[in-house]
Amino acid sequence: WNAKFIYASAALIHGIKNKKISLDSKITADHPYIFSKYVCEQIILNSNIQNCIIRIGGIYGYPGPAHLGLNKLISNALNNITPKIIGSGSVKRNYIYVEDVASFIMKILKENISGIHLVASNEILTIKQMIDKICDVFLDGERPVKIKNNSNFSQIIIPSKLLKCNYTFEEALIEIKNKI
């Protein structure tokens, strides 16, 4: 069929506790689910079929799966539930909007891109910055509730140079709000 197989893998193949993930980072598939992603990658790479593997960091959108806390915060804010910041909110992430992932997949197909690519936003924000923007867009500037906890760490994923995000975090939230 001359089809291209695009596999949605996970950036966490490079380690759940890794603070900076790049394609040069060591493979540390340190969780059973993540290990299964790595095994699938190996099967695909050894299959001799046309492929592109995208190792995705956290994806947010609406409605999004609640296992990524950011999706739950957005859903809660849409239901007028004030978000909570656990800890200082100073940890950094570069989660990507689902629409940008979809655009990248379309680019892979149109431009026949192969190889392994990390998928994350170029915009790095603290959790507090993200939650403040959620409050600004969905809750008329209401401020989040703070809960003490110091157990989190920053995790930044260095995205593929071929990935061009169309949305900032705030623009994505406004897009979500306009669709609802």
Side-chain angles (χ1 to χ4, degrees), residues 15-32:
I16 290 175
K17 299 278 185 189
N18 192 346
K19 294 179 180 177
K20 185 176 182 183
I21 296 174
S22 72
L23 281 179
D24 295 329
S25 298
K26 180 181 172 184
I27 300 293
T28 317
D30 50 5
H31 182 276

Side-chain angles (χ1 to χ4, degrees), residues 33-49:
Y33 173 73
I34 298 303
F35 182 73
S36 73
K37 290 285 195 181
Y38 177 68
V39 169
C40 288
E41 283 189 15
Q42 295 309 301
I43 292 168
I44 292 163
L45 292 171
N46 289 309
S47 71
N48 293 322
I49 61 172

Side-chain angles (χ1 to χ4, degrees), residues 110-157:
K110 288 179 183 173
E111 297 178 17
N112 197 26
I113 296 169
S114 296
I116 299 172
H117 300 272
L118 287 170
V119 177
S121 175
N122 292 308
E123 182 181 33
I124 299 168
L125 297 172
T126 66
I127 298 297
K128 182 180 181 327
Q129 288 172 314
M130 287 184 251
I131 292 175
D132 284 343
K133 288 184 186 299
I134 289 169
C135 289
D136 291 342
V137 171
F138 298 114
L139 298 168
D140 295 322
E142 187 176 325
R143 293 298 98 194
V145 175
K146 292 185 179 183
I147 299 173
K148 290 185 179 184
N149 184 336
N150 295 323
S151 64
N152 288 331
F153 61 95
S154 294
Q155 185 175 63
I156 305 302
I157 298 163

